[in-house]
Amino acid sequence: MKAVELIKIKKNFQLSGFAYEPISPDAAVDGAIMDFLPIAETIKKSFVGAKFKAKGVATGVSGHSVIVKRVVIPATTAEEVQASIQIDAEQYIPFDISEVNLDYQIVGPTMATEDAGMEVVLVAAKKDKIQNHTNVITLAGRTPEVVDIDAFALQNAFEANYKVDPDAAVALLNIGASLMNINITKGGMPLFIRDVSVGGNQYTDILQKELQLSFQEAEDLKLGRTGGSEAEMVQPLLESITEMLIMEVQKTFDF
Ligand SMILES: Nc1ncnc2c1ncn2[C@@H]1O[C@H](COP(=O)(O)OP(=O)(O)OP(=O)(O)O)[C@@H](O)[C@H]1O
Ligand SMILES: [Mg+2]
């Protein structure tokens, strides 16, 4: 569990607090919260420990329950997009429309087709996934105020911290334990977003399997806390996973 508290000073943000607390691998699996009470307790304690003053909390979701797509809507005005987006969105979303929260942003008139159309960034997130996050925040005595998409938050962080060349395409990666968020951006807009179920756990997994270790032994070995003698065996195993991660990033460019 990681959280920061930010204070807005003019146009910039200042870090006023930071909370970091490990949670049991069984309590949150692949980004989904399984055990609400212990995680709510962890949030509560660590926010107090970090002296957070704000009541409101922003969180982010990603993975299978989230769809981000640039699509062309057959419409010429913002009003027309608004009127037809619910119906038009259905073909792009692999879930029942009643199961998701939908949002969108108009990029502008499309050049991609002969017919008139509006290019739109369409976002759909499953309601149960959102509630999975908001419930635990409420349970911790705080108010869920923003549920963002992890890949968008990554882009916001990038744009707040770096001078961005408006003509350059930039690939942003957030590699976690079980998930990698990929966001290819240009001029402040996400061109392509993809979440892949790979991350740090894969490195631990391969060491665990190939060297017959427990999760913790493999994790410690990966982080260089233990080992030495196995070094020549460990390196190629880790590299094979890195190759796979690189392939997934490469695949994203090919889309
Ligand atoms: N120095 C390091 N070298 C290699 N791997 C590391 C290092 N430090 C942390 N990791 C790995 O990074 C992963 C944790 O990253 P992070 O905190 O971003 O994940 P997370 O946000 O908990 O995961 P997710 O977003 O997938 O739910 C773990 O797999 C951990 O073993
Ligand atoms: Mg993460």
Side-chain angles (χ1 to χ4, degrees):
M1 200 278 319
K2 290 154 243 150
V4 293
E5 189 173 63
L6 301 173
I7 300 175
K8 196 163 188 185
I9 298 171
K10 289 190 189 140
K11 275 185 172 169
N12 294 312
F13 292 97
Q14 195 175 70
L15 183 73
S16 67
F18 176 67
Y20 177 85
E21 206 59 56
I23 45 180
S24 125
D26 304 327
V29 179
D30 290 345
I33 296 156
M34 300 292 169
D35 290 333
F36 284 83
L37 275 176
I39 293 190
E41 206 48 48
T42 303
I43 294 174
K44 215 179 201 167
K45 269 205 205 123
S46 63
F47 280 24
V48 170
K51 299 195 168 68
F52 285 175
K53 288 175 209 74
K55 205 75 179 116
V57 176
T59 182
V61 292
S62 52
H64 299 302
S65 327
V66 175
I67 309 288
V68 182
K69 267 202 185 117
R70 268 176 100 118
V71 301
V72 176
I73 303 290
T76 49
T77 64
E79 289 72 28
E80 282 175 29
V81 173
Q82 163 90 38
S84 72
I85 191 85
Q86 283 280 340
I87 305 287
D88 287 327
E90 279 189 29
Q91 58 183 301
Y92 302 111
I93 299 170
F95 314 114
D96 197 291
I97 201 89
S98 65
E99 289 176 24
V100 299
N101 281 0
L102 203 70
D103 203 355
Y104 67 93
Q105 184 160 345
I106 296 173
V107 180
T110 180
M111 313 285 168
T113 59
E114 304 224 319
D115 303 323
M118 281 291 204
E119 194 148 337
V120 167
V121 179
L122 182 71
V123 179
K126 284 191 90 178
K127 287 177 182 167
D128 56 2
K129 175 80 180 181
I130 293 173
Q131 277 162 13
N132 189 258
H133 280 232
T134 53
N135 284 348
V136 79
I137 293 167
T138 308
L139 209 55
R142 304 277 165 156
T143 313
E145 269 177 13
V146 175
V147 181
D148 205 344
I149 303 293
D150 289 341
F152 290 163
L154 180 63
Q155 187 175 344
N156 286 337
F158 170 66
E159 287 168 359
N161 285 289
Y162 295 88
K163 222 172 151 250
V164 186
D165 175 354
D167 297 322
V170 178
L172 303 170
L173 306 181
N174 171 34
I175 305 175
S178 59
L179 199 70
M180 168 164 69
N181 311 121
I182 307 174
N183 184 353
I184 299 173
T185 73
K186 192 176 179 183
M189 289 304 262
L191 289 182
F192 192 76
I193 284 182
R194 182 166 168 253
D195 297 328
V196 192
S197 299
V198 296
N201 281 344
Q202 248 85 9
Y203 291 90
T204 312
D205 277 353
I206 200 166
L207 296 184
Q208 206 179 331
K209 283 206 195 82
E210 295 295 323
L211 305 174
Q212 271 95 48
L213 302 171
S214 70
F215 174 85
Q216 201 50 56
E217 287 167 341
E219 182 77 7
D220 287 343
L221 185 59
K222 175 182 84 172
L223 297 178
R225 290 181 189 139
T226 55
S229 56
E230 303 103 323
E232 70 273 23
M233 282 170 81
V234 170
Q235 199 64 23
L237 292 173
L238 297 181
E239 274 168 15
S240 71
I241 301 296
T242 301
E243 290 296 325
M244 191 188 65
L245 255 70
I246 291 170
M247 243 170 58
E248 289 296 343
V249 177
Q250 185 60 50
K251 244 201 276 179
T252 308
F253 284 107
D254 299 339
F255 269 114

